[in-house]
Amino acid sequence: MHKPWTPLSVVWETTLHCNMHCMHCGSSAGTKRTNELSTQEGLHLCNDLADMGTRLVALMGGEPFLREDWDTLARHIKDRGMEVTILSNGYLIDDALVRKLRPLEPYAVTISIDGGTHETHDAIRGTTESFQHCLDSLEYLTNAGIPTTVVTTVQHSNLRELPLLRDRLLGRGIAWQIQMAVPMGRFPRSEMLSPEEFYSVALFIASLKKTFSQQELPVMGAHNFGYCSQVLPNIMLYPWFGCQAGLTSLGVHSDGAVNGCMSLPAAFTEGNIRSRPLKELWQDPTAFSYNRGEFKDAVSGSCVGCRKSKRCRGGCLTVSYALTGAYHGDPYCLRRLEQQLHLNEK
Amino acid sequence: MVSWRKEKMKPTNQHTKLEHLGQAIGLDTEEVARAKRSARNIIVMAIVAGAFITFGNILMPGGPAGQYYSGVSIKDFGHLFSGWL
């Protein structure tokens, strides 16, 4: 009998409609899908998640604030006893929107900022004045006492602006999550970090974590910044125990398609909540086989033979699949890079 | 493919290489030196890993891995042990 997995953390792409055109968008967001879940279907989804034991629902897009019923959905999530986080590009956040947000007591409102200057951020986001909107949204949110996070997706063209962004965030009580752009959707492989650049960013995060207290600068590397380094301390917030797609995490697309993680491509879709109840999809013994079934321990590439592979299970599945076409063999692994770059030798 | 076995390699200077990688992102010598893990990091990490294996899911919404997928919250930084890592 298999372990009864619970989708503790769910990311729901409420719409693919977006008012930006980001270079690194893995969903190629922009135009709304023709068959997105209605408000009633969305409320039903929230009920199912609450019944299945979900604790946190993250509303993302596209741009989630472009959905007129965003507050209805967020309120229902809270009313069903779950936490709600909203991932936004910040463009629409103003005083009026914050007045609607505040009573919802979100677990976090997360704003994407991808550069330390207007020029870089706006170029990556494909929208003029978006940087200024982001800075303004941080002001609105923090002034209202809403837990605020900045997510920075690092690529070749914004790598060197991380120190500028650090200076903007320091001492403001804003959490900072740094993640790597992966060649999916619109993102060109040519803009991806090189292994050396990737290690430089890891070094940067480690340095920040050692230099500043968590009150001064609460910073962490996301799920594609690790793992098991022999030189650096843990740069994520907590220890890495392997990809959680289909184990404790779940992604729901705006048309009702379900997969273990929103970052995973369509090949990993398990079904659609319009044609099969979510609980049935989740509990299907053949579902999420890459993490639950026959492939769960099958590390690939250079992870084969690594003594950390049982716990790490090959790092981020999305990075592994996007770069190698195989499961559980993320080549952007700190431990591996330290071997390649001979950094683990004194 | 990288071999995980101990290989004979040319003698290298870890610190010099780390400095070079740090300079690429604007870190000075002192910041690079500070970034390296310490004995304290290793010990605390082992304790924290044990604690999470035992009762990690209880500690926060989304479980111990939830913040990676849903976007971290400032509230996650206030949880048990996080200040030590």
Side-chain angles (χ1 to χ4, degrees), chain A residues 19 162 166 201 281 327 336 345:
Chain A
N19 47 0
L162 288 176
R166 169 199 61 200
V201 178
L281 274 170
Y327 299 159
R336 171 189 173 157
E345 298 167 3

Short mmCIF file of all heavy atoms in Angstrom, two decimals, chain A residues 19 162 166 201 281 327 336 345:
data_model
loop_
_atom_site.label_atom_id
_atom_site.label_comp_id
_atom_site.label_asym_id
_atom_site.label_seq_id
_atom_site.Cartn_x
_atom_site.Cartn_y
_atom_site.Cartn_z
N ASN A 19 -0.29 41.03 -18.70
CA ASN A 19 -0.05 42.36 -19.25
C ASN A 19 1.44 42.61 -19.46
O ASN A 19 1.85 43.73 -19.70
CB ASN A 19 -0.66 43.43 -18.33
CG ASN A 19 -0.30 43.21 -16.88
OD1 ASN A 19 0.42 42.25 -16.54
ND2 ASN A 19 -0.78 44.07 -15.99
N LEU A 162 22.39 41.82 -9.35
CA LEU A 162 21.91 41.34 -8.05
C LEU A 162 22.37 42.24 -6.89
O LEU A 162 21.58 42.52 -5.98
CB LEU A 162 22.34 39.89 -7.81
CG LEU A 162 21.61 38.83 -8.66
CD1 LEU A 162 22.19 37.44 -8.40
CD2 LEU A 162 20.11 38.82 -8.37
N ARG A 166 19.97 43.94 -4.15
CA ARG A 166 20.23 43.75 -2.71
C ARG A 166 20.16 45.09 -1.97
O ARG A 166 19.50 45.19 -0.92
CB ARG A 166 21.64 43.14 -2.51
CG ARG A 166 22.13 43.14 -1.07
CD ARG A 166 23.64 42.97 -1.02
NE ARG A 166 24.33 44.07 -1.70
CZ ARG A 166 25.58 44.03 -2.14
NH1 ARG A 166 26.31 42.94 -1.98
NH2 ARG A 166 26.13 45.09 -2.74
N VAL A 201 26.23 32.94 -8.46
CA VAL A 201 24.99 33.36 -7.79
C VAL A 201 24.83 32.62 -6.45
O VAL A 201 24.44 33.22 -5.45
CB VAL A 201 23.75 33.11 -8.70
CG1 VAL A 201 22.47 33.50 -7.98
CG2 VAL A 201 23.87 33.88 -9.99
N LEU A 281 -7.78 11.91 -9.31
CA LEU A 281 -6.51 12.10 -10.04
C LEU A 281 -5.32 11.99 -9.11
O LEU A 281 -4.32 11.34 -9.41
CB LEU A 281 -6.49 13.50 -10.67
CG LEU A 281 -7.13 13.71 -12.03
CD1 LEU A 281 -7.21 15.19 -12.34
CD2 LEU A 281 -6.31 13.01 -13.10
N TYR A 327 14.81 12.21 -16.30
CA TYR A 327 14.36 12.51 -14.94
C TYR A 327 15.56 12.53 -13.97
O TYR A 327 16.51 11.79 -14.14
CB TYR A 327 13.41 11.42 -14.41
CG TYR A 327 12.14 11.21 -15.19
CD1 TYR A 327 11.43 10.02 -15.07
CD2 TYR A 327 11.61 12.19 -16.02
CE1 TYR A 327 10.24 9.80 -15.76
CE2 TYR A 327 10.43 11.99 -16.71
CZ TYR A 327 9.75 10.79 -16.58
OH TYR A 327 8.59 10.58 -17.27
N ARG A 336 27.96 18.76 -7.82
CA ARG A 336 28.53 18.34 -9.10
C ARG A 336 29.47 19.42 -9.66
O ARG A 336 30.57 19.13 -10.13
CB ARG A 336 27.41 18.06 -10.08
CG ARG A 336 27.89 17.82 -11.49
CD ARG A 336 26.73 17.76 -12.44
NE ARG A 336 27.23 17.68 -13.81
CZ ARG A 336 26.56 17.20 -14.82
NH1 ARG A 336 25.36 16.73 -14.63
NH2 ARG A 336 27.06 17.17 -16.02
N GLU A 345 38.46 20.96 -3.57
CA GLU A 345 39.83 20.65 -3.15
C GLU A 345 40.44 21.87 -2.50
O GLU A 345 40.26 22.98 -2.97
CB GLU A 345 40.66 20.25 -4.37
CG GLU A 345 40.11 18.99 -5.02
CD GLU A 345 40.72 18.79 -6.40
OE1 GLU A 345 41.59 19.59 -6.79
OE2 GLU A 345 40.34 17.83 -7.06
#
